[in-house]
């Protein structure tokens, strides 16, 4: 067997894990997290209940894999949008990245709600999912590198500046995207943009805009423009 090649047993294991996750995603789309049932998955895959636990030792372990996959896919979508922004200004950057997040969420709302919707009762996500979320948010930060925050958001900028001063990991993450000294504005813009974007997108994919006379894209555009105005972005 050549270096790096998987054994037939390893390939079978990966294929079975992928099949289990595909079935779980279908269940998730049909009925949310409550519909994800290991016993039903095992029956469909052709495994006994105990045999399934050789691939995922609990429903939480399976959900964790689905969460990691969803964040990775969303980060990739945002990364592709960021890669196409050569020469674009900060306001255009925010619109493009927020639009990429919305498009991903609208196309697969069950995966979006898994990572941004109502928390699953009794489930605690592992710490590394925070890094996954930061991978999505990071490309937004450069838009705020030369921000001129308005009076209304200056308290938020001050809080984020203090946070970065106390938490070296946060400061290093911010400085990977913006110059030193711009961390506070970038973090404040990122947090405010995150809440605005996911508030609008989460309501849209949950069907909460029915009968309200507007579409999700026009609302998100207005919110991103308001955010850009509050940070003096062109």
């Amino acid at each position: 067997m050549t270096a790096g090649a998987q054994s037939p047993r390893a390939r079978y294991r990966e294929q079975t894990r992928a099949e289990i996750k595909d079935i779980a995603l279908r269940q998730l789309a049909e009925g949310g997290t409550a519909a994800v049932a290991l016993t039903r998955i095992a029956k469909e895959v052709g495994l006994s209940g105990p045999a399934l636990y050789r691939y995922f030792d609990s429903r939480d372990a399976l959900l964790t894999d689905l969460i990691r996959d969803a964040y990775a896919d969303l980060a990739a979508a945002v990364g592709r949008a960021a890669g196409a922004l050569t020469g674009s200004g900060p306001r255009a950057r925010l619109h493009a990245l927020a639009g990429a997040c919305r498009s991903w969420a609208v196309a697969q709302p069950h995966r979006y709600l898994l990572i941004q919707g109502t928390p699953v009762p009794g489930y605690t996500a592992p710490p590394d999912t925070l890094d996954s979320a930061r991978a999505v948010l990071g490309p937004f930060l450069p838009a705020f590198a030369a921000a001129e925050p308005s009076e209304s958001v200056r308290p938020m900028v001050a809080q984020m500046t203090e946070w970065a001063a106390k938490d070296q990991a946060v400061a290093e993450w911010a400085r990977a995207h913006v110059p030193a000294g711009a961390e506070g504005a970038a973090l404040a813009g990122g947090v405010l943009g995150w809440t605005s974007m996911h508030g609008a997108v989460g309501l849209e994919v949950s069907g909460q805009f029915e009968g309200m006379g507007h579409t999700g894209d026009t609302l998100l555009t207005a919110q991103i423009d308001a955010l850009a105005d509050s940070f003096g972005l062109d």
Side-chain angles (χ1 to χ4, degrees):
M1 188 165 57
T2 60
Q6 286 186 315
S7 68
R9 184 173 182 177
R11 286 198 301 273
Y12 175 78
R13 178 176 177 80
E14 288 306 307
Q15 290 167 0
T16 303
R17 281 175 59 87
E19 186 178 359
I20 291 169
K21 289 197 288 185
D22 285 344
I23 296 169
L25 284 173
R26 190 177 72 243
Q27 291 179 347
L28 187 69
E30 292 170 350
T33 54
V36 178
L38 295 186
T39 53
R40 288 172 50 211
I41 294 172
K43 184 176 181 180
E44 190 166 341
V45 176
L47 295 171
S48 66
L52 183 69
Y53 286 98
R54 294 202 297 265
Y55 299 92
F56 293 96
D57 60 15
S58 66
R59 192 187 74 140
D60 284 2
L62 175 55
L63 288 176
T64 295
D65 248 38
L66 297 181
I67 288 169
R68 288 180 176 135
D69 289 349
Y71 268 125
D73 285 354
L74 179 54
V78 172
R80 287 191 295 271
L85 287 172
T86 304
S88 299
R91 185 181 295 256
R93 182 182 189 87
L94 291 179
H95 279 298
L97 300 184
C101 284
R102 176 182 173 271
S103 294
W104 186 90
V106 169
Q108 40 198 346
H110 56 295
R111 298 184 77 197
Y112 175 83
L113 292 173
L114 178 65
I115 59 175
Q116 297 295 337
T118 303
V120 179
Y123 173 78
T124 301
D128 65 270
T129 55
L130 176 59
D131 293 331
S132 299
R134 286 177 176 172
V136 177
L137 181 58
F140 286 79
L141 300 190
F144 301 95
E148 297 180 4
S150 66
E151 185 175 352
S152 65
V153 299
R154 285 175 196 157
M156 185 73 174
V157 173
Q159 288 180 344
M160 295 295 101
T161 301
E162 183 178 355
W163 181 32
K166 291 180 178 178
D167 192 321
Q168 183 178 357
V170 169
E172 290 177 353
W173 172 65
R175 284 196 293 269
H177 300 281
V178 298
E183 300 97 325
L187 290 169
V191 170
L192 290 170
W194 187 263
T195 55
S196 295
M197 177 178 67
H198 289 299
V201 173
L203 288 169
E204 180 184 5
V205 300
S206 299
Q208 300 300 315
F209 291 159
E210 295 297 326
M212 292 183 66
H214 72 278
T215 60
D217 60 334
T218 56
L219 174 61
L220 185 59
T221 296
Q223 287 188 306
I224 295 300
D225 274 331
L227 175 69
D229 289 345
S230 68
F231 280 86
L233 304 179
D234 297 327

